[in-house]
Amino acid sequence: MSNSDIIAFVRSIFKEPEGFIPLHAPLFGGNEKKYVSDTIESTFVSSVGKYVNRFEEMMQEITGARYAVATVNGTTALHLAMIVGGVKDGDEVITQPLTFVATANAISHCRALPVFVDVDRETMGLSPDALSSFLKDYAVVRGNECYNKQTGRRISVCIPMHTFGFPAFIEEIAEVCAEWKIALIEDAAESIGSYVGNQHTGTFGLAGTFSFNGNKTITSGGGGAIVTNDEGYARLAKHLSTTAKQPHTWEFVHDHVAFNYRMPNLNAALACAQLEQLPVFLERKRALSSEYAGFFQDSGISFITERKGTTANYWLNAILFADRPARDSFLSESNTEKVMSRPAWELMNRLPMYRNCLKGDLSNAEWLEERLVNIPSSVRNQ
């Protein structure tokens, strides 16, 4: 199959014979204008307003989590989730190298050190086998906490990421974390509407975090959320997201060094209108992935699909070429032809600020990085 065959097929299914086809554009086909106008008319456009509360309620309904806390973006959600989860200066936090830089940056914002452990080829998410092997080589449990035997640092949290909306082996990861006394916080930024069995991603550990950036399945322009089943955790997260102001009609008393991370009502209005359409969006994205799967069958190019027992939201569809030259050839030709495609992220351990971080064997992440390409995945307006 040639690059031009793929480009022609993408143009045919998006019904765009000549113009630019983005990787993932938002679709506003519901109550977005109505709710945003309502917010403007109310004058409650900042972090106090009915849509912020409604957004949190909808996130609880969708994920099945008992509590949700709205934030201004996914990075702040992950940062706050770790702070509330007890990450301290100098701790080590295990994550995967194949991820968006925000995962590693949020760890650094806590003044902690990322540790990179390999992914599975099947899920592109953190490998529970690689995690277990790394901990057996490096870790020891002392007094109900995990420590790195070589560095002496506490390993406080593990953050797997559900890559492109495909659920990782999160149940197995949770078992490893429980065995080694490490808190589990899921980076579910890309996986709204993804499940393992009947359980939504982001709900398998202490907390999960989501992103609602402009290119996500659901967007609020900028926004994030923390979900958890722990009441005390949720209460503290919400308190710290609102500058730790004690409730009072007129006095300004704050009891923690905290953050101004609360989602504005204006963004929440957009998010609520988008979440109302989530079932339709997911249905259309699944139909798109099915068309791609049929097209790439027997082509020599692998199309990544959800693993058995899981439901992926197919946020970004992904294909695997035979090698890096084939990958780069397609990236060059498709983008020249105004059909947007992109490679996987540069592995975190190769970025200058994370080059000296501790890492395990990363063979799978390196293999995927050389071959993976995301292709247009927008929700089509039908």
Side-chain angles (χ1 to χ4, degrees):
M1 180 180 292
S2 68
N3 293 339
S4 59
D5 290 335
I6 301 172
I7 293 167
F9 181 73
V10 173
R11 287 200 172 281
S12 71
I13 60 177
F14 280 96
K15 298 181 175 63
E16 181 53 76
E18 296 181 350
F20 174 69
I21 300 178
L23 190 68
H24 197 290
L27 177 62
F28 303 117
N31 289 313
E32 289 89 350
K33 289 183 180 179
K34 176 182 177 182
Y35 292 173
V36 170
S37 295
D38 180 39
T39 304
I40 293 171
E41 291 172 5
S42 76
T43 74
F44 286 94
V45 296
S46 192
S47 57
V48 175
K50 67 179 183 180
Y51 287 107
V52 183
N53 297 332
R54 178 57 185 147
F55 168 75
E56 292 176 335
E57 292 168 357
M58 293 179 79
M59 284 300 295
Q60 292 166 208
E61 293 166 5
I62 289 166
T63 65
R66 292 179 62 196
Y67 307 98
V69 178
T71 67
V72 294
N73 55 51
T75 307
T76 57
L78 191 53
H79 178 217
L80 186 57
M82 283 187 281
I83 293 294
V84 179
V87 176
K88 306 295 185 185
D89 288 16
D91 280 358
E92 292 178 352
V93 175
I94 295 175
T95 191
Q96 59 199 62
L98 186 71
T99 186
F100 181 54
V101 71
T103 310
N105 284 348
I107 295 169
S108 296
H109 295 165
C110 296
R111 300 177 64 88
L113 301 172
V115 174
F116 300 114
V117 170
D118 207 6
V119 299
D120 284 305
R121 291 188 187 184
E122 181 181 0
T123 69
M124 302 171 289
L126 186 70
S127 165
D129 291 337
L131 176 62
S132 180
S133 178
F134 178 88
L135 291 169
K136 288 175 181 176
D137 289 342
Y138 284 91
V140 62
V141 175
R142 300 194 199 109
N144 214 37
E145 291 185 320
C146 187
Y147 289 87
N148 188 316
K149 292 182 290 187
Q150 294 192 6
T151 66
R153 298 180 185 275
R154 186 175 69 136
I155 304 174
S156 55
V157 165
C158 175
I159 303 177
M161 200 266 282
H162 299 288
T163 308
F164 309 135
F166 294 92
F169 285 101
I170 193 63
E171 293 170 304
E172 294 83 352
I173 292 169
E175 291 177 2
V176 175
C177 289
E179 177 186 354
W180 289 91
K181 312 301 180 185
I182 299 171
L184 173 60
I185 295 176
E186 294 171 69
D187 184 345
E190 302 170 356
S191 65
I192 186 74
S194 296
Y195 295 82
V196 177
N198 295 319
Q199 187 170 347
H200 201 289
T201 55
T203 64
F204 288 84
L206 176 62
T209 64
F210 293 84
S211 169
F212 301 93
N213 188 34
N215 68 346
K216 294 297 191 295
T217 303
I218 294 298
T219 183
S220 55
I226 302 169
V227 298
T228 183
N229 290 317
D230 186 310
E231 181 180 4
Y233 181 101
R235 188 184 303 113
L236 180 58
K238 186 171 183 177
H239 187 55
L240 293 181
S241 75
T242 54
T243 69
K245 182 182 181 295
Q246 294 183 352
H248 195 278
T249 305
W250 64 84
E251 289 184 348
F252 285 83
V253 178
H254 307 259
D255 55 15
H256 288 78
V257 177
F259 309 95
N260 189 15
Y261 281 178
R262 187 80 168 153
M263 178 188 284
N265 198 36
L266 201 62
N267 296 90
L270 190 62
C272 288
Q274 286 270 287
L275 285 173
E276 289 174 350
Q277 301 167 82
L278 179 60
V280 173
F281 288 178
L282 294 174
E283 180 182 350
R284 293 182 184 177
K285 290 179 73 62
R286 181 163 289 274
L288 174 62
S289 72
S290 180
E291 290 188 62
Y292 275 138
F295 175 75
F296 285 108
Q297 189 174 11
D298 303 323
S299 69
I301 298 171
S302 296
F303 177 74
I304 295 178
T305 58
E306 63 200 7
R307 65 183 174 90
K308 186 177 180 180
T310 71
T311 303
N313 67 4
Y314 287 94
W315 170 54
L316 288 184
N317 291 289
I319 54 178
L320 295 171
F321 287 90
D323 51 33
R324 183 182 289 269
R327 182 203 76 165
D328 290 349
S329 172
F330 177 77
L331 288 168
S332 176
E333 187 170 341
S334 63
N335 284 289
T336 298
E337 294 297 322
K338 299 186 292 185
V339 174
M340 188 175 178
S341 62
R342 74 175 199 189
W345 311 277
E346 185 82 7
L347 296 184
M348 294 299 101
N349 58 291
R350 291 179 178 159
L351 299 179
M353 58 280 200
Y354 300 123
R355 196 166 290 155
N356 296 322
C357 290
L358 183 62
K359 63 181 185 295
D361 173 64
L362 305 180
S363 300
N364 287 337
E366 292 165 354
W367 187 90
L368 286 165
E369 182 196 30
E370 290 183 348
R371 294 164 173 80
L372 191 145
V373 170
N374 293 126
I375 52 180
S377 303
S378 302
V379 175
R380 293 173 294 178
N381 198 354
Q382 298 175 351

